[in-house]
Every structure is written in C-alpha cells, then in structure tokens.
C-alpha cells in the first residue's frame, strides 16, 4: 500500500522546467581620447549567414539587440574599432552581413547606395561591394602618400586580413573636434565656404589611378602639390554642386574638406581655395611634430610625417575591423614606401540609413571615384598599362620645393 502511494507521489512530481533563453550579451564600447571607441565582445564569426550563397538578405544575421547597440555606438562615437577577429573563409560575407545592420535592406547590393567594384578592380567574386586593398595579388594599391579625405559614402568598413610588421597605418581625425579647434575667425570662414569638387586636376579617379597618373599631395596630405600628368580615356569633369565646408553631425558642427578633388570655393580661384583648405585642415589637425621632405623626383615623402595628438594612427593587426561615419571622421592614407611587409584590407563603402547617418556629402567629394556605379574593367586595364609609370614621372626640384612649403 505504501509503495503504491510512493509511486503515485513520483508520478505527480512536476517535470523539470526548461530553462528560459538568456539574453544575448551586448558588446561594450570604450571611448578613445581622439574620438571613436574600441568595441569589445563582438565576434564576426558568430553571425548567422544565409544558407544560399547568392542571397542578398543579411539583415537578420545579428541579434537585434546587438545591431541596435552598434547603430547607437556609431552615432555616438562616429568610429568603432573591433580587434581580434578570428580568420574565416566567409569573412567577406560576414562583413556584408555586419554592414547590413547599418544600411537599408538590400542597400549593399544597390549601386546607388553602395559602391560596386569589378573583380579586376579588387572586387570580390559574387560580392562586388567588397574590395581588396593592399600589396597582395588582386588588390588595389594607392601610392598617394598622405591624403586627407572623405570617402564617397555615408559609412566605410575596413577589415585587415594581412598586416605588415610596421607602416601602413590609416590616420583618422575627428571632424567635429577639427571644427572646434579652429579660431572663431576660421570657424566663421569655414561656415561661409561653399565647395565645388571636380576631377579637373585628377586623372578622373579613383585615388590609386590619380596617383599612378602623377597626382601628388603635400607631405601632410592637406593640399594638392601637383595635378595629374595624364587622364584616363573616360575622364569627365564631374563638377559637384556647391556643398558646405562645415556640416551638421548630430547637432554639432564638423569640418569636411577633401583637397585632392577640391576645384574651388565659390568666389575664390583654385590656388587661393587650395591655400585656404590647407590652412583650415592644418589648424583642425593641429601642428605636426615633424613634416617629411618630399623627394624632388617622385614628390613623395622621404620619411613618415609625424602628426600631433589630434590624429589617431591605427597600426593594423590581422583581425582588426573599423567602421566609421564619413561625416564624423576624415582619414588619410600613409606612404606605401614605408610598409614593412604585405598588407591586405577588405573595404566596403555604403549608405547608413538604419544608423541615422544617411545623406552625407561624401559622394560629392569624389567625382570620378565610382560613387554609385561599378568600377569598370577599363580602369583595371589602365592600371596595368600604367604599371611602372611612377618611376618615370617628370618632375622638377622647383615643384618639390613649392610643395614642401605647404
């Protein structure tokens, strides 16, 4: 009898409850002194990718809580640095999935909202919005030296697959802090300026092609030192409508100038416009610790220029990922001559509707640079035809001395 009662008690014991799902842990963001933030606790390899290789739907790859965190963080900090990503055979697709958290659905596959590249121009097979940059095979290499600019997009992603032992830094400057660093008179001038950008002094873009065709910047990347010596066959002037030199970024003012393609300020000649842009950018960036001399033949820096504390120099390591708002941050390349080893970077330039940063004027600063269109095979063929041109570019010591004055 007692055993029957015991059996009944066992049968009426409630089953063990199924644990409730735990919330996805959120990343954290640690602000940097120069602006931007380092993000911890995010893994590209954990993204859930569509099973079909040709799928264009990546919006659900990240838990919504994490996507919301990233969108808020880019709006707050302007630039996010995420280190230590493990190698992955799906890295290009993972980057597209990550970028899709900031853009409108399908925007990464829309040439109007994300720049698309041909395979011969560094584009990745099946993912034309992803371009390879660097010294390795099938990557595009820009030998411009220093060149402060804004990309032709709302947002840019760079991911490092291969990093050199030294050199190859990407430089960043907070455009809001640059505006705040100007004197009251300079701020008033910047607010009054309207800029026309064009390909008048370039080869027609993109930047790597301009450099191969002889265009050079000064040793701080703030002023055109020499126009391109030749133009690509499909060159067009591509002049923009006048755009402000100072813009609103989330309720604060930011200085936004790209001197390589700066044709003129409304009411000023080209040379005066270049001088004013150089003065404003130099004041915003702060005095450099040292400025490199330019080689009299190549018009490239003979050693690295050392910038001051307002400039963040990112020394790349394999697995580094950076995403930034082009209205919030300007950036600059560094001279290839000082790379110490191979470098490969994957790049995406795209719109930022879901992050609330859409509508920046970056597209207007890069005429001929491929905004909203595929980079044609003609540019890739031209790159091959121009291989070796660098060493034979005509130059004079007068040009070098004049460029070094700025």
């Amino acid at each position: 009898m007692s055993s029957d009662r015991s059996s009944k008690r066992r049968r009426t014991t409630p089953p063990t409850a199924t644990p409730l799902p735990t919330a996805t842990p959120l990343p954290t963001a640690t602000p940097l002194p120069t602006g931007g933030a380092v993000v911890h606790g995010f893994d590209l390899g954990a993204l859930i990718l569509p099973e079909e290789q040709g799928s264009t739907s990546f919006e659900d790859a990240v838990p919504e809580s994490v996507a919301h965190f990233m969108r808020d963080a880019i709006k707050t900090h302007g630039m996010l640095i995420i280190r230590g990503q493990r190698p992955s055979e799906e890295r290009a697709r993972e980057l597209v999935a990550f970028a899709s958290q900031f853009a409108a659905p399908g925007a990464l596959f829309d040439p109007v909202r994300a720049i698309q590249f041909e395979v011969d121009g560094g584009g990745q097979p099946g993912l034309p919005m992803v371009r390879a940059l660097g010294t390795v095979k099938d990557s595009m290499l820009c030998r411009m030296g220093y060149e402060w600019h804004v990309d032709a997009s709302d947002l840019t992603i760079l991911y490092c697959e291969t990093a050199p032992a030294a050199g190859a830094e990407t430089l960043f400057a907070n455009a809001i802090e640059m505006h705040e660093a100007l004197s009251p008179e300079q701020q008033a001038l910047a607010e009054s300026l309207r800029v026309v950008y064009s390909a008048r002094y370039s080869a027609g873009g993109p930047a790597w092609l301009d450099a191969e065709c002889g265009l050079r910047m000064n040793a701080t990347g703030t002023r055109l030192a020499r126009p391109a010596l030749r133009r690509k066959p499909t060159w067009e002037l591509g002049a923009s409508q006048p755009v402000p030199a100072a813009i609103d970024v989330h309720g604060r003012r930011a200085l936004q100038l790209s001197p390589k393609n700066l044709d003129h300020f409304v009411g000023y000649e080209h040379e005066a416009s270049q001088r004013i842009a150089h003065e404003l950018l130099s004041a915003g960036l702060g005095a450099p610790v040292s400025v490199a001399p330019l080689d009299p033949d190549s018009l490239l820096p003979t050693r690295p220029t050392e910038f001051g504390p307002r400039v963040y120099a990112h020394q790349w390591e394999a697995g580094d990922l950076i995403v930034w708002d082009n209205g919030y941050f300007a950036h600059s390349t560094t001279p290839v001559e000082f790379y110490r080893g191979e470098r490969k970077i994957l790049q995406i330039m795209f719109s930022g509707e879901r992050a609330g940063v859409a509508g920046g004027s970056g597209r207007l600063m890069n005429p001929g640079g491929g905004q909203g269109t595929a980079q044609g095979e003609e540019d890739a063929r031209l790159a091959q035809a121009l291989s070796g041109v660098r060493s034979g570019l005509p130059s004079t010591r007068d040009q070098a001395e004049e460029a070094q004055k700025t």
Side-chain angles (χ1 to χ4, degrees):
M1 193 70 150
S2 63
S3 65
D4 288 344
R5 285 197 297 270
S6 175
S7 175
K8 289 178 182 178
R9 282 197 298 271
R10 284 196 298 270
R11 284 197 296 270
T12 58
T13 300
T16 302
T18 302
L20 293 173
T22 57
T24 302
L26 290 180
T28 59
T30 303
L32 292 171
T34 50
V38 178
V39 172
H40 303 277
F42 179 77
D43 181 8
L44 278 173
L47 272 57
I48 302 173
L49 301 179
E51 292 184 6
E52 296 181 11
Q53 286 290 325
S55 175
T56 62
S57 179
F58 289 85
E59 287 72 30
D60 298 327
V62 179
E64 181 55 32
S65 60
V66 176
H68 185 77
F69 170 88
M70 291 294 183
R71 291 193 286 266
D72 277 355
I74 196 71
K75 188 180 295 185
T76 301
H77 302 289
M79 177 175 67
L80 306 179
I81 301 169
I82 310 172
R83 291 187 177 272
Q85 300 300 300
R86 297 165 294 176
S88 168
E89 294 182 357
E90 293 273 30
R91 187 49 28 99
R93 293 183 78 216
E94 290 164 356
L95 290 173
V96 172
F98 179 66
S100 296
Q101 308 312 306
F102 302 95
L108 272 293
F109 294 84
D110 180 355
V112 174
R113 292 184 287 179
I115 301 176
Q116 313 286 301
F117 303 95
E118 298 287 347
V119 173
D120 288 345
Q124 302 302 285
L127 296 170
M129 73 295 295
V130 183
R131 174 170 65 166
L133 305 172
T135 59
V136 301
K137 183 181 178 182
D138 299 326
S139 299
M140 305 310 296
L141 182 62
C142 182
R143 300 179 182 273
M144 183 69 70
Y146 298 101
E147 187 232 333
W148 288 99
H149 65 284
V150 172
D151 283 341
S153 58
D154 296 326
L155 299 172
T156 298
I157 283 175
L158 294 181
Y159 172 78
C160 182
E161 284 198 346
T162 306
E169 303 92 344
T170 300
L171 308 180
F172 294 93
N174 186 318
I176 294 173
E177 293 184 358
M178 289 174 67
H179 187 277
E180 291 174 351
L182 301 179
S183 69
E185 294 77 16
Q186 289 173 323
Q187 287 183 352
L189 175 61
E191 294 291 341
S192 72
L193 292 172
R194 296 296 178 266
V195 197
V196 175
Y197 292 97
S198 81
R200 187 186 307 275
Y201 300 96
S202 76
W208 66 264
L209 181 60
D210 293 336
E212 293 297 330
C213 289
L215 186 148
R216 294 291 183 266
M217 302 297 292
N218 68 348
T220 55
T222 54
R223 181 172 182 172
L224 190 67
R226 181 179 66 191
L229 303 176
R230 66 200 74 203
R231 293 169 172 170
K232 66 181 182 182
T234 56
W235 178 92
E236 294 181 359
L237 179 62
S240 74
Q241 294 296 315
V243 295
I247 65 169
D248 181 84
V249 177
H250 307 309
R252 300 172 68 186
R253 304 301 290 171
L255 182 66
Q256 194 169 68
L257 291 169
S258 289
K260 178 175 77 71
N261 291 319
L262 194 155
D263 190 304
H264 66 278
F265 294 123
V266 175
Y268 296 85
E269 298 294 332
H270 172 72
E271 285 301 322
S273 300
Q274 283 283 325
R275 175 182 55 78
I276 293 170
H278 164 70
E279 292 172 355
L280 292 176
L281 285 170
S282 298
L285 293 168
V289 176
S290 67
V291 178
L294 297 180
D295 180 88
D297 296 316
S298 69
L299 287 187
L300 291 170
T302 58
R303 59 173 174 79
T305 288
E306 185 178 353
F307 289 87
R310 292 182 199 156
V311 174
Y312 169 69
H314 187 80
Q315 180 65 62
W316 289 98
E317 296 180 3
D320 284 359
L321 166 66
I322 302 182
V323 56
W324 72 90
D325 177 347
N326 279 294
Y328 212 126
F329 275 85
H331 67 287
S332 173
T333 51
T334 50
V336 173
E337 288 71 17
F338 308 124
Y339 289 16
R340 296 296 177 263
E342 290 190 336
R343 180 200 200 214
K344 182 180 179 182
I345 298 278
L346 298 180
Q347 178 193 50
I348 306 178
M349 295 184 281
F350 59 105
S351 59
E353 296 90 348
R354 296 174 75 190
V357 297
S361 58
R363 294 178 182 83
L364 302 176
M365 297 184 174
N366 294 274
Q371 56 276 26
T373 60
Q375 292 293 316
E377 295 181 0
E378 179 182 6
D379 285 356
R381 291 196 298 270
L382 190 56
Q384 294 178 347
L386 289 170
S387 60
V389 163
R390 251 186 346 119
S391 60
L393 290 174
S395 178
T396 66
R397 292 185 179 274
D398 289 343
Q399 285 176 306
E401 291 170 0
E402 182 62 28
Q404 289 179 52
K405 292 177 184 177
T406 63

